[in-house]
Amino acid sequence: MHICHIVLNNLGGAPKVADSLISSQVKAGYKVSTVVLTILDPRWKVSFKAAQIVIVMKIAGTLFYIGRAIHQIWVAIQLNRIIAEQKPDIIICHSAFITKLFYLSQFIPGSLSIPYISYIHSDYISESQTERTTNPISELINNISISITSRIDLQALQQSNGLVFVCKALYQRFANIGFKHRRIVISYNPAIDDINNQPLHPIAKSWFDNSQLIAFVCASRFHHQKDHKTLLKAFAKVSENHLNIRLILLGDGELETELKALATSLAINNIVLFAGFVSNPRAYFSQSRVVILASHFEGLPLVLVEAVASGVTFIASDCPVGPRDIFEVLKCGTILPPSDVDALAEAIIDHVKTPQQKIDRSEQITQFFSETSCANQLESLIEQVVSQSV
């Protein structure tokens, strides 16, 4: 059997999971190919352990809505050509967006009729509501665009031969808007070990080595979704009475300059480290007091699972999808309302005042978040889909 995975890029959690699934399928003897829709970022070690094809697809936010739609149709045409050359037995689309592109590609005359599974890693519903503008005309056009796009997205998901949701809350989010499907699997993404022994940032290392300091870590890209502003404001509030705390931010992104300016204006730039992108976050997690995630929305934030796998607990916003699932499954951590500076500050203070305890949830992580479990559930779904498509 030839399985083809379609991913957007090699950045973040979804490609990391796809890479794990691809590796498992290759080991199981399947022929596996990978279609990547953007250029691979060389900083990330996700390599996709199978044949790969790259389509350059620059979806710039500056494109006008109509231009963006035309560009996506162009990509769907290119995708159709690639799939025709590959001739796989089944397609795995690693997002609702990619599912839509593949769905559109099937309307091209002469396209192959290939069953496809949509693998939903993120809170697509929240994502689709984030793009806003203050211009009334642009806002109207944007709302119409979102409405049309959402209908196509949901139709593409509905026509899929199977759906994988990475947690129960994500499935429920779709169910709440009336979405139904005959073949649904809920499969937690695997917690994958770091494979890089990159040295710690020297400042971070000095903080970890100082027994008088308490270091907190946040690992997420600098994007509005991750709400670093609330984290920095809460941290500044705590630092007024707790001079021994430090914050290490792992990652990079479009808001880095803005966030550094905010840290300076809050007078915490000397106790907040922007450590940049790192390929071994668990090395930081294991030496931190707590890992913090303040997002407005998530899919299944594996950073929290990886924190617990490293022996520490977490503080996370109780956004619509993700953190609560992990909180309930692993029976540890603190969840609090999103965008609540005071609640986050209080949670940080609780951990400053409480001696650190190492967390051991190895059994639960093996049971719910293992690579084997994730791969087996997808393999079972693939076999069902292919057997009924023959």
Side-chain angles (χ1 to χ4, degrees):
M1 185 193 306
H2 179 183
I3 305 168
C4 179
H5 292 258
I6 308 177
V7 298
L8 183 61
N9 51 37
N10 64 328
L11 302 175
K16 193 174 180 181
V17 172
D19 198 43
S20 170
L21 292 167
I22 290 166
S23 179
S24 297
Q25 289 167 356
V26 170
K27 290 177 182 177
Y30 294 106
K31 177 182 179 182
V32 186
S33 59
T34 311
V35 177
V36 186
L37 299 185
T38 56
I39 296 174
L40 296 175
D41 190 314
R43 298 171 304 166
W44 289 73
K45 299 304 178 183
V46 173
S47 58
F48 302 114
K49 304 174 183 70
Q52 53 185 285
I53 304 157
V54 178
I55 303 174
V56 180
M57 171 190 167
K58 298 177 182 177
I59 305 176
T62 55
L63 281 175
F64 193 61
Y65 308 110
I66 296 174
R68 197 179 309 172
I70 293 172
H71 186 71
Q72 290 178 18
I73 293 172
W74 177 84
V75 174
I77 294 171
Q78 304 307 308
L79 185 58
N80 177 270
R81 177 181 60 81
I82 294 293
I83 295 302
E85 293 172 357
Q86 289 290 301
K87 295 183 175 61
D89 297 298
I90 190 166
I91 301 284
I92 313 295
C93 301
H94 283 275
S95 72
F97 173 70
I98 292 173
T99 302
K100 174 180 66 179
L101 293 178
F102 178 71
Y103 174 72
L104 292 174
S105 77
Q106 293 194 305
F107 286 93
I108 298 171
S111 61
L112 298 177
S113 178
I114 300 173
Y116 66 98
I117 291 172
S118 184
Y119 211 118
I120 309 300
H121 296 267
S122 61
D123 183 0
Y124 153 78
I125 295 173
S126 292
E127 286 178 353
S128 65
Q129 298 169 351
T130 58
E131 190 174 340
R132 292 288 180 264
T133 175
T134 56
N135 184 297
I137 297 177
S138 295
E139 181 70 14
L140 176 62
I141 296 173
N142 187 40
N143 289 338
I144 294 173
S145 174
I146 290 174
S147 177
I148 294 172
T149 297
S150 295
R151 289 188 180 186
I152 297 173
D153 289 344
L154 292 175
Q155 181 67 16
L157 295 174
Q158 192 68 59
Q159 293 300 314
S160 70
N161 299 85
L163 275 162
V164 179
F165 291 98
V166 297
C167 65
K168 295 177 182 178
L170 185 55
Y171 164 67
Q172 191 59 49
R173 193 106 160 95
F174 277 78
N176 289 343
I177 62 172
F179 183 84
K180 296 180 181 179
H181 198 281
R182 67 189 183 283
R183 193 178 289 121
I184 288 174
V185 170
I186 297 171
S187 175
Y188 293 117
N189 282 339
I192 302 167
D193 291 335
D194 290 339
I195 58 174
N196 190 291
N197 294 320
Q198 178 183 348
L200 295 179
H201 189 288
I203 294 176
K205 187 177 187 307
S206 69
W207 288 353
F208 288 140
D209 291 343
N210 188 337
S211 61
Q212 302 303 310
L213 300 179
I214 299 175
F216 296 80
V217 172
C218 172
S220 58
R221 61 197 172 98
F222 299 136
H223 185 274
H224 291 290
Q225 173 195 346
K226 304 298 183 177
D227 197 12
H228 288 86
K229 292 181 180 180
T230 291
L231 172 56
L232 290 174
K233 291 174 183 177
F235 204 77
K237 185 172 184 177
V238 176
S239 70
E240 293 173 1
N241 297 310
H242 300 277
L243 303 179
N244 63 332
I245 62 172
R246 300 291 185 270
L247 177 62
I248 301 168
L249 301 178
L250 307 179
D252 53 21
E254 59 195 40
L255 297 182
E256 183 170 352
T257 301
E258 183 179 337
L259 293 172
K260 286 181 176 179
L262 176 60
T264 300
S265 69
L266 293 170
I268 57 173
N269 53 300
N270 62 325
I271 62 170
V272 175
L273 171 65
F274 288 79
F277 169 80
V278 302
S279 55
N280 59 333
R282 286 203 195 186
Y284 291 81
F285 297 164
S286 62
Q287 299 188 61
S288 70
R289 176 59 60 90
V290 172
V291 172
I292 304 176
L293 189 68
S295 304
H296 292 300
F297 62 90
E298 284 288 345
L300 184 74
L302 281 177
V303 64
L304 303 183
V305 181
E306 291 168 353
V308 177
S310 303
V312 300
T313 189
F314 62 83
I315 300 170
S317 57
D318 191 14
C319 47
V321 169
R324 181 170 289 275
D325 280 72
I326 295 170
F327 171 78
E328 292 177 350
V329 169
L330 296 182
K331 303 187 186 311
C332 65
T334 301
I335 53 175
L336 40 83
S339 307
D340 192 326
V341 172
D342 292 337
L344 180 52
E346 285 300 319
I348 293 172
I349 290 171
D350 286 344
H351 285 283
V352 171
K353 292 181 175 179
T354 305
Q356 184 175 23
Q357 293 183 343
K358 286 294 181 180
I359 303 296
D360 182 5
R361 296 292 186 273
S362 52
E363 290 186 11
Q364 292 93 330
I365 289 172
T366 299
Q367 179 181 356
F368 294 102
F369 301 99
S370 73
E371 293 187 74
T372 300
S373 174
C374 183
N376 287 346
Q377 290 188 75
L378 179 59
E379 182 177 5
S380 178
L381 179 59
I382 288 173
E383 290 177 351
Q384 291 178 43
V385 170
V386 172
S387 65
Q388 294 185 18
S389 301
V390 174

